[in-house]
Amino acid sequence: MKYLVMVQGTQADYDAMRGKASADSPAWSEEELQTMFAYMGAINDDLSESGEFIDGQGLAEPAQTRHVTLGDDGKAVITDGPYSETKELLAGYWVLECESLERVTEIADRVARCPQPAGAPDYPVVIRPIMDGSGDI
């Protein structure tokens, strides 16, 4: 079974990783940032070695996001980020092929333990099975 494993974040979190603290997110030091990257890199390496890793990427900050919706006239309405009305957005993901939901849950538990500065917000790691065709609905 294939699964999408997602981590969330906000613009304030991305700013904090660049050293700019806010009421919601303390500033990260360079050492904390490198520790986080090493931790996530080790997860990627382990998943590659086990054959479970299909793809995984970190995503650009919410300020670089664009929403496209349809207006009442049926034409595209384009809005560039960041969006004050939105809390968390997708910050990164893995596409994994695992033998069971229990296995992918073990991986998500490991992701959730990623080191971060004291006081940084905790977000859930979200697991979604990837459907294999329309017959899965």
Side-chain angles (χ1 to χ4, degrees), residues 23-121:
D24 298 320
S25 213
W28 289 57
S29 69
E30 184 62 29
E31 181 180 339
E32 289 166 327
L33 195 59
Q34 293 307 316
T35 298
M36 183 267 297
F37 285 139
Y39 185 89
M40 291 299 194
I43 290 174
N44 291 344
D45 291 345
D46 291 347
L47 293 170
S48 291
E49 288 177 22
S50 71
E52 296 167 303
F53 184 88
I54 295 172
D55 186 30
Q57 303 292 327
L59 300 177
E61 64 183 317
Q64 296 184 43
T65 301
R66 174 172 277 185
H67 282 190
V68 180
T69 58
L70 292 179
D72 292 338
D73 61 0
K75 293 182 181 178
V77 176
I78 301 167
T79 309
D80 291 329
Y83 309 99
S84 59
E85 69 277 5
T86 303
K87 293 184 181 189
E88 300 90 29
L89 294 173
L90 185 62
Y93 69 90
W94 291 264
V95 176
L96 305 176
E97 187 156 6
C98 298
E99 62 186 42
S100 67
L101 180 58
E102 290 74 24
R103 172 61 183 143
V104 74
T105 301
E106 290 172 5
I107 295 165
D109 176 67
R110 184 174 173 196
V111 171
R113 297 173 187 280
C114 183
Q116 60 183 12

